[in-house]
Protein backbone atom coordinates (compact mmCIF):
# COMPACT_ATOMS: atom_id res chain seq x y z
CA UNK A 1 0.00 0.00 0.00
CA UNK A 2 1.21 3.51 -0.81
CA UNK A 3 -0.06 6.93 0.17
CA UNK A 4 -2.33 7.39 3.14
CA UNK A 5 -4.24 4.86 5.19
CA UNK A 6 -7.97 5.65 5.21
CA UNK A 7 -9.02 5.22 8.79
CA UNK A 8 -12.28 4.97 10.71
CA UNK A 9 -12.20 5.78 14.42
CA UNK A 10 -14.60 3.85 16.65
CA UNK A 11 -15.43 4.96 20.21
CA UNK A 12 -15.57 8.50 21.63
CA UNK A 13 -15.10 7.76 25.33
CA UNK A 14 -12.52 9.24 27.68
CA UNK A 15 -9.47 7.43 26.28
CA UNK A 16 -10.73 7.74 22.73
CA UNK A 17 -11.05 11.52 22.84
CA UNK A 18 -8.25 12.37 25.24
CA UNK A 19 -5.54 10.05 23.93
CA UNK A 20 -6.05 7.93 20.81
CA UNK A 21 -8.02 10.20 18.47
CA UNK A 22 -5.67 13.22 18.91
CA UNK A 23 -2.63 11.07 18.19
CA UNK A 24 -4.03 9.57 15.00
CA UNK A 25 -5.22 13.01 13.85
CA UNK A 26 -1.62 14.26 14.05
CA UNK A 27 -0.25 11.65 11.64
CA UNK A 28 0.50 12.70 8.06
CA UNK A 29 0.26 9.20 6.59
CA UNK A 30 -3.33 8.49 7.57
CA UNK A 31 -6.66 10.24 7.11
CA UNK A 32 -9.60 9.74 9.45
CA UNK A 33 -12.49 9.60 7.01
CA UNK A 34 -15.20 8.29 9.35
CA UNK A 35 -16.14 8.23 13.01
CA UNK A 36 -18.32 5.60 14.69
CA UNK A 37 -20.05 5.94 18.07
CA UNK A 38 -23.24 4.39 19.47
CA UNK A 39 -24.16 7.65 21.21
CA UNK A 40 -25.34 9.65 18.21
CA UNK A 41 -25.18 13.17 19.67
CA UNK A 42 -21.68 12.56 20.99
CA UNK A 43 -20.44 10.95 17.79
CA UNK A 44 -21.73 13.72 15.53
CA UNK A 45 -20.33 16.40 17.84
CA UNK A 46 -16.87 14.84 17.92
CA UNK A 47 -16.86 14.31 14.16
CA UNK A 48 -17.86 17.94 13.64
CA UNK A 49 -15.22 19.23 16.06
CA UNK A 50 -12.40 17.45 14.22
CA UNK A 51 -13.72 17.86 10.67
CA UNK A 52 -14.29 14.13 10.18
CA UNK A 53 -16.63 13.96 7.18
CA UNK A 54 -18.77 10.89 7.98
CA UNK A 55 -20.53 9.56 11.07
CA UNK A 56 -21.78 6.01 11.63
CA UNK A 57 -23.57 4.65 14.65
CA UNK A 58 -22.38 1.02 14.66
CA UNK A 59 -19.36 -0.92 13.49
CA UNK A 60 -21.62 -3.05 11.27
CA UNK A 61 -22.11 0.02 9.09
CA UNK A 62 -18.36 0.19 8.52
CA UNK A 63 -18.00 -3.42 7.39
CA UNK A 64 -19.18 -3.11 3.75
CA UNK A 65 -17.32 0.17 3.09
CA UNK A 66 -14.51 -0.35 0.58
CA UNK A 67 -12.97 3.10 1.04
CA UNK A 68 -11.90 2.36 4.65
CA UNK A 69 -8.63 0.48 5.07
CA UNK A 70 -8.44 0.20 8.86
CA UNK A 71 -10.36 0.85 12.07
CA UNK A 72 -9.12 2.06 15.44
CA UNK A 73 -11.50 0.58 18.02
CA UNK A 74 -11.49 2.07 21.53
CA UNK A 75 -14.40 0.42 23.29
CA UNK A 76 -15.56 -1.55 26.31
CA UNK A 77 -13.34 -4.59 27.05
CA UNK A 78 -16.17 -7.02 26.27
CA UNK A 79 -16.56 -5.53 22.79
CA UNK A 80 -12.92 -5.85 21.72
CA UNK A 81 -13.28 -9.37 20.34
CA UNK A 82 -16.68 -9.27 18.60
CA UNK A 83 -15.98 -5.91 16.95
CA UNK A 84 -12.45 -6.83 15.85
CA UNK A 85 -13.56 -10.19 14.44
CA UNK A 86 -16.33 -8.57 12.39
CA UNK A 87 -14.04 -5.86 11.05
CA UNK A 88 -11.20 -8.24 10.21
CA UNK A 89 -13.56 -10.55 8.36
CA UNK A 90 -14.80 -7.57 6.36
CA UNK A 91 -11.24 -6.86 5.19
CA UNK A 92 -10.28 -4.06 7.58
CA UNK A 93 -7.02 -3.84 9.51
CA UNK A 94 -7.84 -3.43 13.20
CA UNK A 95 -6.22 -1.65 16.13
CA UNK A 96 -7.89 -2.28 19.49
CA UNK A 97 -7.22 -1.26 23.06
CA UNK A 98 -5.87 -3.69 25.61
CA UNK A 99 -6.77 -6.12 27.03
CA UNK A 100 -7.02 -8.04 23.79
CA UNK A 101 -10.07 -9.95 25.05
CA UNK A 102 -11.79 -11.06 28.24
CA UNK A 103 -11.26 -14.78 27.62
CA UNK A 104 -8.82 -17.03 25.75
CA UNK A 105 -11.39 -18.37 23.28
CA UNK A 106 -12.24 -14.88 22.06
CA UNK A 107 -8.55 -13.98 21.78
CA UNK A 108 -7.89 -17.09 19.70
CA UNK A 109 -10.83 -16.26 17.44
CA UNK A 110 -9.41 -12.78 16.88
CA UNK A 111 -6.06 -14.23 15.79
CA UNK A 112 -7.76 -16.73 13.49
CA UNK A 113 -9.86 -13.97 11.89
CA UNK A 114 -6.76 -11.84 11.33
CA UNK A 115 -4.80 -14.67 9.75
CA UNK A 116 -7.66 -15.86 7.55
CA UNK A 117 -8.40 -12.33 6.29
CA UNK A 118 -4.73 -11.43 5.85
CA UNK A 119 -5.22 -8.21 7.83
CA UNK A 120 -3.23 -6.63 10.65
CA UNK A 121 -4.49 -6.97 14.20
CA UNK A 122 -2.65 -4.76 16.67
CA UNK A 123 -3.28 -4.50 20.41
CA UNK A 124 -2.51 -1.15 22.04
CA UNK A 125 0.16 -2.16 24.54
CA UNK A 126 1.81 1.25 24.57
CA UNK A 127 4.65 0.34 26.97
CA UNK A 128 6.49 -1.51 24.19
CA UNK A 129 6.61 1.78 22.28
CA UNK A 130 8.10 3.71 25.22
CA UNK A 131 11.69 4.61 24.21
CA UNK A 132 12.89 3.89 27.76
CA UNK A 133 11.42 0.39 27.63
CA UNK A 134 12.95 -0.10 24.18
CA UNK A 135 16.34 0.93 25.58
CA UNK A 136 15.86 -1.42 28.55
CA UNK A 137 15.15 -4.36 26.25
CA UNK A 138 18.30 -3.61 24.27
CA UNK A 139 20.34 -3.58 27.49
CA UNK A 140 18.79 -6.79 28.85
CA UNK A 141 19.24 -8.60 25.54
CA UNK A 142 22.89 -7.53 25.34
CA UNK A 143 23.61 -8.61 28.92
CA UNK A 144 22.03 -12.01 28.39
CA UNK A 145 24.30 -12.58 25.39
CA UNK A 146 27.52 -11.15 26.88
CA UNK A 147 27.00 -12.66 30.37
CA UNK A 148 28.78 -9.57 31.70
CA UNK A 149 26.60 -9.68 34.82
CA UNK A 150 26.19 -13.45 34.81
CA UNK A 151 22.85 -15.18 34.43
CA UNK A 152 19.41 -13.92 35.45
CA UNK A 153 18.59 -15.10 38.97
CA UNK A 154 15.28 -13.40 39.81
CA UNK A 155 12.82 -10.82 38.44
CA UNK A 156 10.43 -8.53 40.28
CA UNK A 157 7.43 -6.99 38.52
CA UNK A 158 5.65 -4.50 40.76
CA UNK A 159 2.63 -2.39 39.80
CA UNK A 160 0.57 -0.57 42.40
CA UNK A 161 -0.38 2.25 40.02
CA UNK A 162 -1.19 5.64 41.52
CA UNK A 163 -1.66 8.92 39.67
CA UNK A 164 -1.90 8.04 35.97
CA UNK A 165 -3.81 10.96 34.38
CA UNK A 166 -1.18 13.65 35.16
CA UNK A 167 -3.58 16.54 34.46
CA UNK A 168 -3.92 15.72 30.77
CA UNK A 169 -5.89 18.61 29.32
CA UNK A 170 -6.95 17.45 25.85
CA UNK A 171 -10.40 19.06 25.28
CA UNK A 172 -13.27 16.58 25.35
CA UNK A 173 -16.87 16.64 24.12
CA UNK A 174 -19.37 15.40 26.72
CA UNK A 175 -22.90 14.05 26.41
CA UNK A 176 -25.95 13.30 28.53
CA UNK A 177 -26.55 10.08 26.61
CA UNK A 178 -26.45 6.80 28.52
CA UNK A 179 -23.18 4.89 28.36
CA UNK A 180 -23.70 1.84 26.09
CA UNK A 181 -23.97 -1.52 27.82
CA UNK A 182 -22.19 -4.65 26.66
CA UNK A 183 -22.81 -8.31 27.41
CA UNK A 184 -20.05 -9.65 29.61
CA UNK A 185 -17.78 -12.34 28.17
CA UNK A 186 -15.70 -13.74 31.07
CA UNK A 187 -14.03 -17.16 30.90
CA UNK A 188 -16.70 -19.86 31.06
CA UNK A 189 -15.00 -21.54 34.02
CA UNK A 190 -14.85 -18.38 36.15
CA UNK A 191 -17.28 -18.21 39.13
CA UNK A 192 -19.66 -15.25 38.96
CA UNK A 193 -18.41 -13.80 42.25
CA UNK A 194 -14.89 -13.51 40.74
CA UNK A 195 -15.82 -11.79 37.49
CA UNK A 196 -15.47 -8.18 38.60
CA UNK A 197 -12.02 -8.67 40.14
CA UNK A 198 -10.87 -10.71 37.13
CA UNK A 199 -11.92 -7.89 34.80
CA UNK A 200 -10.05 -5.29 36.84
CA UNK A 201 -6.91 -7.43 36.95
CA UNK A 202 -7.05 -8.23 33.23
CA UNK A 203 -7.64 -4.60 32.22
CA UNK A 204 -4.70 -3.11 34.12
CA UNK A 205 -2.07 -5.76 34.66
CA UNK A 206 -2.11 -7.41 31.24
CA UNK A 207 0.27 -4.51 30.49
CA UNK A 208 2.87 -5.89 32.91
CA UNK A 209 2.56 -9.43 31.59
CA UNK A 210 3.05 -8.11 28.06
CA UNK A 211 6.12 -6.10 29.07
CA UNK A 212 7.60 -9.01 31.02
CA UNK A 213 7.21 -11.34 28.04
CA UNK A 214 8.81 -8.79 25.72
CA UNK A 215 11.82 -8.35 27.98
CA UNK A 216 12.41 -12.02 28.80
CA UNK A 217 10.39 -14.27 26.50
CA UNK A 218 7.52 -16.57 27.41
CA UNK A 219 7.24 -18.13 30.87
CA UNK A 220 6.53 -21.85 31.34
CA UNK A 221 4.07 -21.86 34.24
CA UNK A 222 2.29 -19.94 36.97
CA UNK A 223 3.68 -21.60 40.10
CA UNK A 224 1.58 -19.78 42.71
CA UNK A 225 -1.09 -17.08 42.89
CA UNK A 226 -3.06 -15.45 45.69
CA UNK A 227 -5.59 -12.61 45.66
CA UNK A 228 -6.71 -10.56 48.63
CA UNK A 229 -9.18 -7.79 47.86
CA UNK A 230 -7.66 -5.97 44.86
CA UNK A 231 -4.12 -7.20 45.53
CA UNK A 232 -2.32 -10.13 43.93
CA UNK A 233 1.01 -11.86 44.30
CA UNK A 234 1.98 -14.53 41.80
CA UNK A 235 5.12 -16.52 41.14
CA UNK A 236 5.57 -16.86 37.40
CA UNK A 237 8.11 -19.48 36.42
CA UNK A 238 10.74 -19.47 33.69
CA UNK A 239 13.09 -22.38 33.07
CA UNK A 240 15.96 -20.91 35.11
CA UNK A 241 14.41 -18.26 37.38
CA UNK A 242 11.20 -17.05 39.00
CA UNK A 243 9.29 -13.79 38.69
CA UNK A 244 7.58 -12.19 41.66
CA UNK A 245 4.52 -10.56 40.11
CA UNK A 246 2.97 -8.02 42.51
CA UNK A 247 -0.12 -5.97 41.72
CA UNK A 248 -2.39 -3.65 43.64
CA UNK A 249 -3.36 -0.02 44.10
CA UNK A 250 -2.13 3.01 46.02
CA UNK A 251 -3.48 6.59 46.21
CA UNK A 252 -0.15 8.23 45.43
CA UNK A 253 0.59 11.33 43.33
CA UNK A 254 3.31 9.31 41.58
CA UNK A 255 3.20 6.09 39.54
CA UNK A 256 4.50 2.98 41.32
CA UNK A 257 5.51 0.46 38.63
CA UNK A 258 8.80 -1.23 37.82
CA UNK A 259 10.39 -4.28 36.28
CA UNK A 260 13.65 -5.23 37.98
CA UNK A 261 15.78 -7.97 36.43
CA UNK A 262 18.42 -9.36 38.80
CA UNK A 263 21.59 -10.93 37.46
CA UNK A 264 24.34 -12.63 39.50
CA UNK A 265 26.39 -9.43 39.48
CA UNK A 266 23.91 -6.57 39.18
CA UNK A 267 20.50 -5.63 37.90
CA UNK A 268 18.51 -3.68 35.34
CA UNK A 269 15.70 -1.61 36.85
CA UNK A 270 12.99 -0.18 34.57
CA UNK A 271 10.75 2.42 36.22
CA UNK A 272 7.70 3.04 34.03
CA UNK A 273 6.16 6.53 33.90
CA UNK A 274 2.47 7.38 34.49
CA UNK A 275 0.60 6.34 31.32
CA UNK A 276 -0.66 9.82 30.39
CA UNK A 277 2.51 11.75 31.24
CA UNK A 278 3.28 12.89 27.73
CA UNK A 279 6.80 12.77 26.30
CA UNK A 280 8.40 11.26 29.41
CA UNK A 281 10.00 7.83 28.83
CA UNK A 282 10.71 5.06 31.32
CA UNK A 283 13.82 5.46 33.48
CA UNK A 284 16.42 2.73 33.15
CA UNK A 285 19.12 1.99 35.74
CA UNK A 286 21.87 -0.58 35.24
CA UNK A 287 23.80 -1.58 38.35
CA UNK A 288 27.05 -3.43 37.76
CA UNK A 289 28.31 -5.12 40.92
CA UNK A 290 31.30 -7.44 41.49
CA UNK A 291 34.58 -5.63 40.99
CA UNK A 292 32.95 -2.87 38.92
CA UNK A 293 30.50 -1.28 41.38
CA UNK A 294 29.00 1.23 38.98
CA UNK A 295 25.53 2.59 38.21
CA UNK A 296 24.76 3.42 34.58
CA UNK A 297 21.73 5.39 33.40
CA UNK A 298 21.07 5.01 29.64
CA UNK A 299 18.77 7.86 28.63
CA UNK A 300 15.96 7.64 26.11
CA UNK A 301 14.40 10.24 23.83
CA UNK A 302 11.48 12.48 24.84
CA UNK A 303 8.54 10.93 23.03
CA UNK A 304 5.13 9.62 24.07
CA UNK A 305 4.45 5.89 23.80
CA UNK A 306 0.78 6.42 22.80
CA UNK A 307 1.77 8.52 19.80
CA UNK A 308 4.52 6.05 18.88
CA UNK A 309 2.12 3.10 18.84
CA UNK A 310 -0.30 5.00 16.58
CA UNK A 311 2.55 5.68 14.15
CA UNK A 312 3.59 2.01 14.31
CA UNK A 313 0.13 0.75 13.35
CA UNK A 314 -0.02 2.94 10.26
CA UNK A 315 3.55 2.04 9.24
CA UNK A 316 2.78 -1.67 9.57
CA UNK A 317 -0.12 -1.28 7.15
CA UNK A 318 1.84 0.81 4.66
CA UNK A 319 4.91 -1.46 4.75
CA UNK A 320 3.02 -4.76 5.22
CA UNK A 321 4.80 -5.59 8.47
CA UNK A 322 3.68 -7.53 11.54
CA UNK A 323 2.91 -5.21 14.47
CA UNK A 324 5.19 -5.47 17.51
CA UNK A 325 2.06 -6.05 19.61
CA UNK A 326 0.24 -8.24 17.13
CA UNK A 327 -2.80 -10.31 17.98
CA UNK A 328 -0.68 -13.46 17.62
CA UNK A 329 1.75 -12.23 20.29
CA UNK A 330 -0.84 -10.57 22.56
CA UNK A 331 -2.92 -13.75 22.68
CA UNK A 332 -0.30 -15.09 25.09
CA UNK A 333 -1.08 -12.38 27.64
CA UNK A 334 -4.67 -13.59 27.86
CA UNK A 335 -3.38 -17.13 28.44
CA UNK A 336 -1.17 -15.96 31.31
CA UNK A 337 -3.94 -13.87 32.90
CA UNK A 338 -6.28 -16.85 32.93
CA UNK A 339 -3.52 -19.10 34.30
CA UNK A 340 -2.88 -16.68 37.18
CA UNK A 341 -6.55 -16.81 38.11
CA UNK A 342 -6.78 -20.58 37.70
CA UNK A 343 -3.76 -21.03 39.96
CA UNK A 344 -5.47 -18.90 42.60
CA UNK A 345 -8.83 -20.70 42.41
CA UNK A 346 -7.41 -24.22 42.16
CA UNK A 347 -4.48 -23.78 44.56
CA UNK A 348 -2.06 -25.41 42.13
CA UNK A 349 0.58 -24.51 39.60
CA UNK A 350 -0.65 -24.09 36.02
CA UNK A 351 1.45 -24.96 32.99
CA UNK A 352 1.39 -22.43 30.15
CA UNK A 353 0.63 -23.61 26.63
CA UNK A 354 0.64 -21.00 23.88
Amino acid sequence: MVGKVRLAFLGCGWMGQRVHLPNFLKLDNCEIVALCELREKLGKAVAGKHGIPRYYRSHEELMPLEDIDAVVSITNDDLHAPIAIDLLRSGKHCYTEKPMATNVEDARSMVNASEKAGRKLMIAYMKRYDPGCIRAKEVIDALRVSQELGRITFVRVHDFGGEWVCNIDEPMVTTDETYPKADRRPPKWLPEDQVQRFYGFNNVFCHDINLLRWFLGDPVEVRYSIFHDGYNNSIIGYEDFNVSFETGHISSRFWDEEVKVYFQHGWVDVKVPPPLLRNVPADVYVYKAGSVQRMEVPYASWTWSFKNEAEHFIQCILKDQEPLTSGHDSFKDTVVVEAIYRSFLEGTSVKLFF
Side-chain angles (χ1 to χ4, degrees):
M1 178 183 289
V2 295
K4 290 187 176 184
V5 173
R6 298 166 298 182
L7 201 67
F9 191 91
L10 193 160
C12 296
W14 200 94
M15 284 295 291
Q17 286 195 61
R18 285 271 165 89
V19 178
H20 294 286
L21 180 57
N23 281 324
F24 278 97
L25 284 166
K26 292 173 185 174
L27 301 182
D28 293 330
N29 53 4
C30 78
E31 180 183 4
I32 301 180
V33 298
L35 185 138
C36 183
E37 166 63 51
L38 283 173
R39 293 163 289 182
E40 186 171 348
K41 287 195 299 183
L42 178 63
K44 288 181 176 179
V46 173
K49 173 184 174 181
H50 295 289
I52 300 171
R54 287 182 281 164
Y55 162 78
Y56 298 96
R57 190 173 185 277
S58 71
H59 78 279
E60 288 93 346
E61 296 178 74
L62 301 176
M63 292 168 59
L65 303 178
E66 296 183 358
D67 62 343
I68 290 177
D69 304 309
V71 179
V72 173
S73 177
I74 312 299
T75 63
N76 183 293
D77 291 357
D78 289 292
L79 297 176
H80 292 179
I83 287 176
I85 291 168
D86 281 349
L87 293 170
L88 289 163
R89 287 174 175 170
S90 73
K92 312 288 189 291
H93 302 287
C94 190
Y95 168 113
T96 190
E97 255 287 15
K98 58 79 210 167
M100 179 179 183
T102 56
N103 65 77
V104 166
E105 288 74 19
D106 277 352
R108 184 180 291 112
S109 295
M110 294 167 75
V111 174
N112 291 341
S114 172
E115 293 177 347
K116 188 172 182 179
R119 293 295 180 265
K120 315 297 180 190
L121 172 61
M122 176 170 156
I123 314 303
Y125 281 115
M126 86 289 182
K127 296 181 193 296
R128 290 198 187 188
Y129 305 95
D130 179 310
C133 291
I134 293 170
R135 188 73 185 96
K137 178 169 172 54
E138 293 170 348
V139 170
I140 293 168
D141 286 349
L143 288 172
R144 295 181 81 176
V145 171
S146 71
Q147 293 289 295
E148 179 184 354
L149 301 183
R151 61 179 175 82
I152 294 175
T153 58
F154 186 76
V155 178
R156 180 176 184 242
V157 177
H158 176 87
D159 185 356
F160 269 42
E163 170 53 52
W164 69 284
V165 174
C166 300
N167 200 34
I168 191 168
D169 58 357
E170 192 71 40
M172 181 174 171
V173 178
T174 59
T175 184
D176 58 0
E177 295 162 293
T178 302
Y179 187 81
K181 293 183 179 181
D183 293 333
R184 288 212 144 180
R185 306 171 67 90
K188 294 177 181 178
W189 49 264
L190 187 69
E192 180 61 33
D193 64 354
Q194 296 291 330
V195 169
Q196 183 173 350
R197 183 163 61 186
F198 175 87
Y199 269 60
F201 182 81
N202 185 35
N203 178 274
V204 177
F205 304 116
C206 64
H207 267 305
D208 300 283
I209 293 167
N210 183 268
L211 194 59
L212 170 69
R213 290 181 40 256
W214 189 46
F215 284 162
L216 300 174
D218 296 331
V220 297
E221 68 178 335
V222 176
R223 294 180 172 145
Y224 173 83
S225 179
I226 186 72
F227 281 84
H228 180 71
D229 296 331
Y231 300 83
N232 168 261
N233 182 234
S234 298
I235 303 300
I236 300 175
Y238 282 74
E239 292 288 354
D240 301 319
F241 56 87
N242 285 331
V243 177
S244 176
F245 194 78
E246 309 162 4
T247 67
H249 307 275
I250 188 169
S251 59
S252 59
R253 72 170 300 277
F254 53 86
W255 186 254
D256 183 23
E257 180 182 13
E258 71 172 341
V259 178
K260 196 167 186 177
V261 181
Y262 289 87
F263 294 80
Q264 290 173 293
H265 308 296
W267 42 251
V268 178
D269 193 8
V270 187
K271 295 185 180 296
V272 181
L276 301 192
L277 185 59
R278 287 180 282 203
N279 298 322
V280 176
D283 291 323
V284 183
Y285 303 92
V286 183
Y287 171 53
K288 296 183 176 181
S291 60
V292 180
Q293 296 297 324
R294 182 173 69 243
M295 182 74 77
E296 298 178 357
V297 184
Y299 291 107
S301 58
W302 300 104
T303 63
W304 195 22
S305 56
F306 277 104
K307 183 172 183 292
N308 295 341
E309 71 177 357
E311 292 175 341
H312 181 77
F313 178 59
I314 300 303
Q315 285 295 332
C316 285
I317 295 172
L318 292 172
K319 297 182 178 181
D320 192 23
Q321 297 174 346
E322 183 79 350
L324 177 61
T325 50
S326 66
H328 179 77
D329 180 83
S330 302
F331 164 78
K332 299 177 181 180
D333 303 316
T334 312
V335 173
V336 177
V337 168
E338 286 203 9
I340 286 173
Y341 230 90
R342 278 190 179 275
S343 178
F344 161 60
L345 292 176
E346 298 171 7
T348 62
S349 63
V350 177
K351 295 287 186 182
L352 294 169
F353 299 99
F354 303 115

